[in-house]
Amino acid sequence: MTTKTERVAASFRDPSGFLFLRGGKLYRQVNLFYRPDYDMLMTSGLYEALIKKKRLVSHIELDLPPEIPKLAYKIIEPERVGFISYPYEWSFNQLKDAALTTLRIMKQALNYGMILKDASAYNIQFSQGRPVLIDTLSFETYREGEPWVAYRQFCQHFLAPLALMRYSDIRLNQLLRVYIDGIPLDLASRLLPWRTRLNVGILSHVHLHANTQQKYAGERIDKIQQRSISKNAMLGLLESLRSTVKKLTCQPAGTEWADYYGDNNYTNAAFNHKQSLVKEWATELKPATVWDLGGNTGAFSQTVAQAGAHSICFDIDPAAVDRNYLDCKVRKEERILPLVLDLTNPSPALGWANQERESLLDRAPANLVMALALVHHMAISNNVSLPQVAEFLSKCGKHLIIEFIPKEDSQVQRLFATRLDIFDQYNRSGFEQAFSQDYKILKSVPIEDSLRILYLMERK
Amino acid sequence: MMSHLMIYAPQKFPLYLDPGTGSIIIQAILAAVMGVFIFLGIYRKKVSKFLRGLFKKNKKTEEFEPVDNDDDNED
């Protein structure tokens, strides 16, 4: 009997090894090419030190048939990360923490005579509320004198987007969707305001870096005379990057939803009733994974997390997502991952052959989807018909908790302030009819002290 | 000016990432400058520790660096 195997599409650049799925389990083949570095990682004490600090995913070595035997040194099974997210879905402080983690790992590796050979933001994932490196094969032996080959990648993947988000516009992390190997530094340099040249770190690592790249574009490095970079100089460079990143702070103000709970027509009774229903249903269903769509600062993600679920809390507003992330950090919340997502244009499949980075739906399904105070935005603001909304949500997960907000509600009336009401089908019976095509309606409860109705549904 | 700088070329082992010629050149310059600060910083700490030791002989000494919650200084 053969077990179906499949190479992971994102894992092809590094000849040191690759990821593959076999029988639903994730494995990594370590190639003979990488043997000396792998052995050094495992015997130098660096692996244990990184695991102790929870900065690297752990793995176990297994005696399994390799995927490509002639290249293979070892097969390892890495600890799996719950949900793979991408830097263009992270808020400012998530990207900043991922950057600082990368630098800490690099510094720690240097202490053990190793170095990070890449500094891709895609190698960092959020697991149990913390950024961790998921690529076990990112280390190589440090030879004093040699430069950090991943310096450019670090600046493109982390520093440039952080500086752009801080000094130009918080939404510019979306450039990472277009530029899969990080934001080109000449572009970042052009988009950043002139005053960033007064920031020594950004001047050095972005503006001067971009100028030098341009000056030496196309020149071969081996044509240039040699000079070594001492370990102290390397530590100096890392410290400069660290302090530049650390000093970047961002508090986006005046964004759409971050003040939603303080600025809406909810009464306390309505909010509490809705929360108790969500808690009751989540406790009954015991979902392992929840997608909280339009989850704002995560109030209802907290409710399902308390019921034992891991919740991905998506919101379009980077300020709400950042606030949620920082709150989760303070509470040491390990079950909620806040992410930035525009549901009207969710993350597409990207990269080589459209397979390197998965689309949102490629990462489905969740056990439970929550769409609270959301459907009117999709149906009215974005003119998506209710059957289309139902079809999309049914692809996201099996069970659905959804709130229907009628036209009479003041939040919906706000949407009609500047436009015609062309939505004849947007009413309770139209909603139930539309969702009955894809779902079986299990429960529907009017929310106290409001005009809203909360539904529990199961995909047919 | 930059063309006269001598840079170590990473040619002894295969690289799967292109480090970029300009990136290596600017890195060498910045690292050299910033390495000096690290070097000075080490001596600043030593001198400071020595002086503090002189004046606070009988007191329990505190860490010179503030405690960083993000454990940057723990490694």
Side-chain angles (χ1 to χ4, degrees), chain A residues 386 404 425-436 455:
Chain A
L386 288 170
F404 178 70
Q425 297 303 308
Y426 190 87
N427 52 49
R428 183 174 178 175
S429 68
F431 174 82
E432 289 181 0
Q433 202 183 345
F435 274 75
S436 295
Y455 291 88

Side-chain angles (χ1 to χ4, degrees), chain A residues 53 104 118 225-227, chain B residues 6-8 16 72 74:
Chain A
K53 292 271 187 188
R104 285 181 195 124
D118 43 32
Q225 284 182 292
Q226 296 187 3
R227 177 184 178 175
Chain B
M6 298 187 301
I7 308 296
Y8 193 98
Y16 90 96
D72 284 328
E74 285 179 24

Side-chain angles (χ1 to χ4, degrees), chain A residues 216-458:
Chain A
Y216 288 93
E219 280 200 37
R220 286 174 59 125
I221 189 66
D222 55 3
K223 297 288 181 206
I224 299 168
Q225 284 182 292
Q226 296 187 3
R227 177 184 178 175
S228 69
I229 297 176
S230 71
K231 191 174 173 186
N232 260 346
M234 180 67 80
L235 288 170
L237 182 82
L238 293 177
E239 176 52 27
S240 165
L241 287 169
R242 190 197 71 85
S243 75
T244 306
V245 170
K246 191 108 184 169
K247 282 177 194 157
L248 289 171
T249 52
C250 190
Q251 285 185 320
T255 50
E256 273 180 287
W257 308 108
D259 292 323
Y260 183 78
Y261 295 120
D263 175 28
N264 60 38
N265 63 345
Y266 270 29
T267 62
N268 280 342
F271 183 85
N272 291 338
H273 186 217
K274 183 166 144 183
Q275 196 166 39
S276 70
L277 286 171
V278 169
K279 189 175 179 181
E280 184 190 320
W281 295 348
T283 309
E284 270 173 36
L285 290 170
K286 294 188 178 52
T289 54
V290 175
W291 282 11
D292 182 4
L293 305 176
N296 199 268
T297 51
F300 291 92
S301 277
Q302 271 188 59
T303 309
V304 293
Q306 281 159 9
H310 281 89
S311 179
I312 316 295
C313 185
F314 298 99
D315 204 275
I316 191 172
D317 180 8
V321 175
D322 214 32
R323 187 191 286 186
N324 191 4
Y325 174 69
L326 293 174
D327 287 349
C328 285
K329 248 178 102 171
V330 170
R331 295 198 313 272
K332 298 195 188 317
E333 174 60 75
E334 295 182 354
R335 292 172 182 271
I336 298 176
L337 173 60
L339 292 176
V340 180
L341 185 80
D342 178 358
L343 276 169
T344 64
N345 179 23
S347 303
L350 292 174
W352 178 250
N354 288 123
Q355 289 182 336
E356 267 187 89
R357 312 291 166 224
E358 293 184 316
S359 73
L360 176 72
L361 287 179
D362 287 339
R363 289 171 278 168
N367 300 120
L368 170 67
V369 176
M370 294 201 294
L372 306 174
L374 180 74
V375 73
H376 57 304
H377 291 293
M378 291 163 132
I380 294 172
S381 307
N382 199 45
N383 289 31
V384 181
S385 70
L386 288 170
Q388 283 176 295
V389 175
E391 190 191 352
F392 170 74
L393 293 176
S394 72
K395 288 177 184 166
C396 294
K398 189 180 175 198
H399 284 93
L400 172 68
I401 297 179
I402 187 165
E403 183 179 13
F404 178 70
I405 305 182
K407 280 183 188 171
E408 297 74 31
D409 189 286
S410 62
Q411 294 293 323
V412 180
Q413 284 301 313
R414 274 161 72 165
L415 301 179
F416 286 127
T418 52
R419 56 182 304 183
L420 276 176
D421 178 0
I422 51 163
F423 306 96
D424 294 342
Q425 297 303 308
Y426 190 87
N427 52 49
R428 183 174 178 175
S429 68
F431 174 82
E432 289 181 0
Q433 202 183 345
F435 274 75
S436 295
Q437 289 171 27
D438 295 285
Y439 287 98
K440 190 169 133 194
I441 297 175
L442 301 176
K443 291 178 186 178
S444 66
V445 181
I447 298 172
E448 282 173 17
D449 212 13
S450 81
L451 302 165
R452 304 171 171 204
I453 301 154
L454 199 65
Y455 291 88
L456 174 64
M457 305 186 187
E458 183 179 1

Side-chain angles (χ1 to χ4, degrees), chain A residues 167-168 188-199 202-203 207:
Chain A
Y167 289 108
S168 298
S189 177
R190 201 170 303 165
L191 290 175
L192 282 167
W194 195 91
R195 69 191 163 103
T196 55
R197 285 167 173 80
L198 303 176
N199 175 321
I202 295 180
L203 172 71
H207 294 297

